[in-house]
């Protein structure tokens, strides 16, 4: 059974929400970041990236304290307001092509520890420690963990009815998304929703493994404190059919000493190769890979050796693992997918022309395109305590920073 809890959110004043909320600051180019900070005094970027001009010159400790101080300024100026009592929220994002709707709630650290909330990605300890320190020193988090639950007709029907009521936020952003937020505040609604999730035996983290691991670490260090909010971390709970999973494509700086002809010959040992020339070809199904090399696109079809793949583990049959095990590691000598500077990643939602342009410019020698995983693969890996290779999935929706704050 899954446990969710309402929380006393801090959120933008209704007349300023469109100005306050922003994308994750890492998504902004330096020029964009400077423009938003210079021309929008209400942007939450001022909170999460204080003293941005001198950001490389100050210690992390000073930066975290700057975040805490700027956050308090936003509260003192009533740019951010606090809920009077713990509540849930229903949140909807409408993009050009999709609509995402889910519930914002606190999820249980105990559920995370006991594998009721399941993981499929590995974490880097230094990043977990860093974000734990950030949480401790700033006292808040504004990036919920994206968690999926099995499709549920009862919850879906309730969401449809709730959306007929007046939202507390209804605004659009400069990237042409529409955002709506409803408050779930009556005792009857809160209790009903908690009861529905108690019937759900397992939840799955889609995005936010480092955030949840940091919340666990913070809880372990300070669980004797008076901060009951440490028992939970903020999550955006969404039906598993409502997430959109993209691949991460790979670009490599060199061929590890091979000529392009030698590299193609090596690839032919494990793949059937078809030259697509100038056709912008992308994989159409599992066990297919796209490649861009020396101005040409190639289709790579993995040789599956009859029915042998039926006897392989879920991880061994994962496309990202196949590319790593058959190409990146043995041929290109890339062992550390996180830290090797010879490899970079492009989210699959970006056009493959981006990959083509980066290779054509000469900094990269070859690009690989994958077919996206689906939710069943992610769940199967999590159920078997298996870990995906780094940068295997790019998952939407992405939550707006500053839209909701969970105080510790």
């Amino acid at each position: 059974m899954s446990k969710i809890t309402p929380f006393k959110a801090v959120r933008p004043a209704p007349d300023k929400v469109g100005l306050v909320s922003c994308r994750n600051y890492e998504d902004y180019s330096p020029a964009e970041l400077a423009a938003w900070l210079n021309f929008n005094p209400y942007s939450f970027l001022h909170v999460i990236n204080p003293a941005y001009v001198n950001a490389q010159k100050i210690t992390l400790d000073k930066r975290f304290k700057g975040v805490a101080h700027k956050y308090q300024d936003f509260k003192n100026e009533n740019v951010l307001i606090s809920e009077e009592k713990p509540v849930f929220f229903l949140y909807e994002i409408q993009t050009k092509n999709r609509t995402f709707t889910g519930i914002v709630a606190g999820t249980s650290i105990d559920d995370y520890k006991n594998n009721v909330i399941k993981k499929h990605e590995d974490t880097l300890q230094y990043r977990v420690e860093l974000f734990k320190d950030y949480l401790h020193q700033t006292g808040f988090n504004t990036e919920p963990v994206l968690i999926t639950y099995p499709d549920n007709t009862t919850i879906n029907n309730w969401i449809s009815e709730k959306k007929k009521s007046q939202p507390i936020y209804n605004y659009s952003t400069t990237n042409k998304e529409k955002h709506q937020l409803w408050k779930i505040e009556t005792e009857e609604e809160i209790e009903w929703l908690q009861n529905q999730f108690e019937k759900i035996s397992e939840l799955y983290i889609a995005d936010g493994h480092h955030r949840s691991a940091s919340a666990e670490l913070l809880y372990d260090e300070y669980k004797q404190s008076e901060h009951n909010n440490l028992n939970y971390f903020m999550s955006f709970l969404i039906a598993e059919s409502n997430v959109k999973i993209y691949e991460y494509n790979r670009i490599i700086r060199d061929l590890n000493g091979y000529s392009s002809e030698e590299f193609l010959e090596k690839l032919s040992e494990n793949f059937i190769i078809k030259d697509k020339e100038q056709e912008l070809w992308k994989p159409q199904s599992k066990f297919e890979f796209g490649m861009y090399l020396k101005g040409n696109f190639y289709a790579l079809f993995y040789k599956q050796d009859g029915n042998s793949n039926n006897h392989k583990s879920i991880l061994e049959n994962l496309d990202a693992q196949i590319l790593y095990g058959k190409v990146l590691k043995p041929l290109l000598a890339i062992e550390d997918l996180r830290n090797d500077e010879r490899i970079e990643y492009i989210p699959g939602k970006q056009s493959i022309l981006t990959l083509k342009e980066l290779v054509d410019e000469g900094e990269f020698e070859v690009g690989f395109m994958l077919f996206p995983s689906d939710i069943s693969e992610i769940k199967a890996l999590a159920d078997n305590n298996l870990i995906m290779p780094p940068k295997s999935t790019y998952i939407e929706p992405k939550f707006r920073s500053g839209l909701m704050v969970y105080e510790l």
Side-chain angles (χ1 to χ4, degrees), residues 138-155:
T138 63
F140 72 87
N141 177 34
T142 186
E143 297 182 17
V145 176
L146 182 65
I147 291 181
T148 66
Y149 60 86
D151 282 68
N152 183 301
T153 302
T154 302
I155 295 177

Side-chain angles (χ1 to χ4, degrees), residues 204-215:
Y204 294 83
I205 296 177
D207 190 23
H209 287 78
H210 284 89
R211 278 165 268 158
S212 51
S214 297

